[in-house]
Amino acid sequence: MASVAREKAPAPALGAVTQLCPLITATAREHLNKHKPWIETSYHGVITENTHVVLLDPPLVALDKDAPVPYAGEICAFNIHGLEAPFEAVVLNGTSGEGQLRARGLVDCELQKEYTFIIQAHDCGSGPGGTEGKKSHKAVVHIQVNDVNEFAPVFREARYRAAVTEGKIYDSILQVEATDQDCSPQYSQICNYQITTADSPFAIDRNGNIRNTEKLSYERQQQYEIQVTAWDCGQKRALVSAPVRIDVKPVCKPGWQGWNKRVDYEPGTGSKQLFPKMHLETCGGPLSSVRTTVELQTSHIGKGCDRETYSEKSLQKLCGASSGSTDLLPAPGATTNWTASLVTDSGRDSDLIFRFDGRQAAKVPDWLVPQNLTDQFTIATWMKHGPSPGLRAEKETLLCNSDKTEMNRHHYSLYVHNCRLVFLLRRDFTQVDTFRPAEYHWKLEQICDKEWHYYVINVEFPVVTLYVDGVTYDPYLVTDDWPIHPSQIDVQLTVGACWQGGEVAKPRFTQYFRGSLSGLTIRPGKIESQKVISCLQACKEGLDINSLESLDKNIKFHFNPAQSILVMEGEDLENINAAVVKVSYINSRQFPTPGIRRVHISTTVQCFGEDTCLSIPDIDAVVMVLQPSEPRITIAGVEQLRRPAVDLSGSSGLDLFQDLHIASTVTRTDSAARYWQQFLEEIIHNLDYCDILVLGEELRPEAESLQLDRSSLLGMHLDATNSTSGMSIYGVDSMSNYEHVIRQVRYHHWLPATLTQRRFRLTCSELNGRYTSNEFKLEIGVLHDSEAGEHVNYMVAPPQYMQMVHRPSSLQHSLYPGHKNDSPPHPPSLPSPVAATVVIVMCIAALVVVVVLGIYRIHLTHQQEAKLVETTKEADVAWDDSALSITVNPMEPQASEEEEASEEDEEEDEEEDDDEEEDEDDITSAESDDSEEEVDVQLPRIHQPSKRGNNLDKATISY
């Protein structure tokens, strides 16, 4: 209407309008944009995730009182304060002031559920440029993001597992749980679980608790596998179901579970776990402590353990014991017949054990009894003893030195009385007639536990110390007594009882011992160190703990000295189970005794405030030590020697085994190959004796002997004895040391003219004859003066070749190692007149033969030269030899005709020998006498030389 009014009014003059324009324009500006836009003070909006438009309440509308004035009454923009808000406001209609709130991108409810920010409206100002625009007040906008059910439920665990006891109904065996990543309660909450496995005796509730709907039976089914799924409250199902395994256990009985009754042990494999999967079941009771004892029972193996069964003397040398000990219980023999009446038990591995049943005893010969016992001496023995029958047991004497006749004084003795070990030592009058310590008592469980123990009594008067299995024990009671008055009465040393020679009508034994003894020795003048004692009783097998450092610090463990008993104690059941798993068996012997080793485990469980709350049954298992690969000890070398008689009677004698070689092999099985293959492997181990026996008649001491320098034994654990039957080298030492010593053995004969041959047999042993070598036989042929120039010396250089050396008789005395270079040969005996005549005739005949051969050789040479001239002339036609020249050195000695003739004879003989070799090569190793028992290893065999004169026989070696 205003515009219409302006049209109807008369127009002023042009000049007047022009003058009034500036004034009108300024006034219009002031009156056209007088007011600010107006909006609500707060807005609440909702936007669904993954959409753009926000639904606001109330709607977004801005009003301006300047309307309908253009620009001033129009809305140009809505500004949002808060850059972090991912929204923008858009003007839909500037005249009406309508706007819309939009998201700049996709809104994720899982990232942010609500937004709050400030919004403000702007008018368009007073003109097209938007100058002098006005802003509304600030309004608060609250926006809530609506959720979309885009995620499916996911179980927290990939697999679930539980265990139940048969015969019980559980309200809840276990609880499964699924989650949903949606942000709203409607879509993020799990409203239902379901077991999808058909016909399962289980059910599940809305909270995921699984229960059994019937009593389960361990015999019917020991394990169930079921599948469980879940739905959220938007009825979206889990994409992956959860497997649930439920184990059915029998009615809980406390005890050890998961152990095997038998454990196989392969020799040489070191330490092996006995119970790698064993654990203790306590049926869920609260425990305060657990104590477990593992015992390795080896009383049936030797002396209670798998030890190296070498002789007592050899063991003492290996352990560095002092020399001079006397063995009071040696093996029965020609010179040790006082033990022949005793009952012996060789045990499982050649341990010599003497069993006493209360009726046997032995008198030690006077020549063997140590006469120089001083203030220091040692008594040692292995003993196995049980409690004595009866209420009042008698003394049981191991060792007793008493008067032989007239009186019944005990000078010293070692006996057992009521499970106490007593050592009696009555001193003679020396300087002072005063009370002195005379009886020493020890009360120990080991004395009557029916197990083998090693007892050592070290006497440093007046101090006496007892060692049992290497552990020291001081006497709990020492009784003083008067010294014994000197007398001329002989004494008698006995083993197994005490000799009562006086004060009775008939001398007899008394105080018999009941038990087993082995290795009873007495060493006068010196005591043994604890290191040697520990070495002598050391056990090669026992219990062990793998990775000791990995044990929990709260676990207490203890081994006995022999490592046959292990005690472990702890408060936490898991730590005890982890410790028991590490218990192992170890056997460090190279060739252990095969068979069973019993293992016994006992357990005590204590609860809080109670002594014992659970009874854990003991368990028994066995360690089966498998048969070790048995070594095959092989002796090889020259089997035949032919030597001049002068070599046997020389100052050094004849070296018998100069080319000896001792080796040991075992058969291994390669199971990794496609087909099981067996192959020989050479091993290194010790020997304990080698015997050189004379075959045929024994050695005559007045004419011959076997000799060995004592210097060759220095620095080794070896000793040697010699007799008319041969020589024995004994002691625990390496095969190489035995080789070295045996090669030094020499045979000496002072009257070789009476000898044609000698035969010897060499055998070696390991572990007291448990493993023996082959019988290596050596034959010596003696060459007298008429044969000495024709013999052939055969030398076998092991392992794969043989040398043949033909030595002139004039050099033999200096080439053999038995002779020194400066020792002249023995002069031959003077011939008789008849023999001289025969020799002269033979010399003349030989001279005639040489002359005839010389003439024949000259004639033959002329014929060959004539043939050579004819051949040369014929060859001139085919080729020119003008450049060929032969120069003969006049200073070079030419071979005589006799030597040329002998060379031709030797060539003819060698051709004949080659024919003999072809016949001999047909002999195979299977036909050799040495291959009867040697299946895997073929020893070299030397064929007998032929009886031809100076011809050389080539030997054949079979492999």
Side-chain angles (χ1 to χ4, degrees), residues 19 124 231 261 328 396 636 673 684 706 892 900 916 956:
Q19 293 176 355
C124 295
W231 276 270
K261 189 172 182 60
L328 302 181
E396 299 179 53
I684 302 299
L706 290 174
E892 183 178 353
E900 294 178 359
E916 292 180 3
T956 302

Side-chain angles (χ1 to χ4, degrees), residues 270-275 292-294 541-552 555-560 563-569 575-587:
S271 181
K272 182 173 183 177
Q273 287 180 272
L274 294 177
F275 312 107
T292 300
T293 301
V294 184
E541 67 177 345
L543 297 174
D544 190 21
I545 295 182
N546 282 339
S547 60
L548 191 62
E549 63 279 356
S550 65
L551 282 183
D552 190 86
I555 295 293
K556 301 177 183 178
F557 65 93
H558 172 71
F559 282 102
N560 67 332
Q563 285 199 216
S564 60
I565 299 177
L566 169 62
V567 180
M568 293 182 293
E569 187 173 1
N575 291 338
I576 284 289
N577 288 333
V580 172
V581 166
K582 300 179 186 299
V583 177
S584 304
Y585 169 81
I586 187 171
N587 196 321

Side-chain angles (χ1 to χ4, degrees), residues 901-940:
S902 64
E903 289 175 1
E904 289 185 2
D905 295 339
E906 289 179 1
E907 291 175 359
E908 294 174 2
D909 293 339
E910 289 177 0
E911 292 176 359
E912 294 177 4
D913 292 341
D914 292 339
D915 296 336
E916 292 180 3
E917 284 179 7
E918 294 176 0
D919 296 335
E920 291 175 354
D921 288 339
D922 295 336
I923 300 177
T924 63
S925 61
E927 297 171 346
S928 173
D929 295 337
D930 294 338
S931 63
E932 292 177 1
E933 297 179 359
E934 304 294 331
V935 178
D936 299 317
V937 180
Q938 296 293 336
L939 299 179

Side-chain angles (χ1 to χ4, degrees), residues 731-883:
V732 180
D733 215 327
S734 63
M735 290 184 290
S736 59
N737 284 350
Y738 266 93
E739 269 187 17
H740 173 75
V741 172
I742 295 175
R743 289 174 181 174
Q744 312 302 317
V745 176
R746 301 184 305 277
Y747 173 62
H748 198 283
H749 203 295
W750 294 278
L751 301 174
T754 62
L755 184 68
T756 57
Q757 70 172 10
R758 259 299 183 191
R759 297 174 65 239
F760 298 93
R761 182 179 67 196
L762 172 63
T763 57
C764 293
S765 158
E766 164 71 318
L767 294 177
N768 275 342
R770 180 176 172 186
Y771 306 112
T772 56
S773 69
N774 61 311
E775 293 184 352
F776 177 75
K777 296 180 180 179
L778 173 65
E779 181 178 332
I780 300 175
V782 182
L783 300 177
H784 298 284
D785 292 341
S786 59
E787 302 173 311
E790 301 175 358
H791 87 284
V792 179
N793 180 24
Y794 296 88
M795 296 180 63
V796 176
Q800 294 182 352
Y801 63 92
M802 181 184 68
Q803 296 177 344
M804 296 193 314
V805 182
H806 180 244
R807 292 172 176 150
S809 59
S810 60
L811 299 178
Q812 287 174 0
H813 72 277
S814 61
L815 291 178
Y816 288 99
H819 276 285
K820 298 181 179 178
N821 293 334
D822 56 352
S823 61
H826 291 272
S829 59
L830 296 176
S832 62
V834 177
T837 303
V838 174
V839 172
I840 294 173
V841 172
M842 292 179 63
C843 291
I844 295 174
L847 181 60
V848 172
V849 172
V850 171
V851 172
V852 172
L853 288 176
I855 296 173
Y856 174 74
R857 181 60 178 167
I858 294 172
H859 176 69
L860 184 61
T861 302
H862 287 306
Q863 289 182 348
Q864 291 178 351
E865 290 178 353
K867 290 181 180 181
L868 181 60
V869 172
E870 293 177 1
T871 304
T872 304
K873 291 180 180 180
E874 293 174 0
D876 290 339
V877 180
W879 55 284
D880 183 13
D881 61 345
S882 60

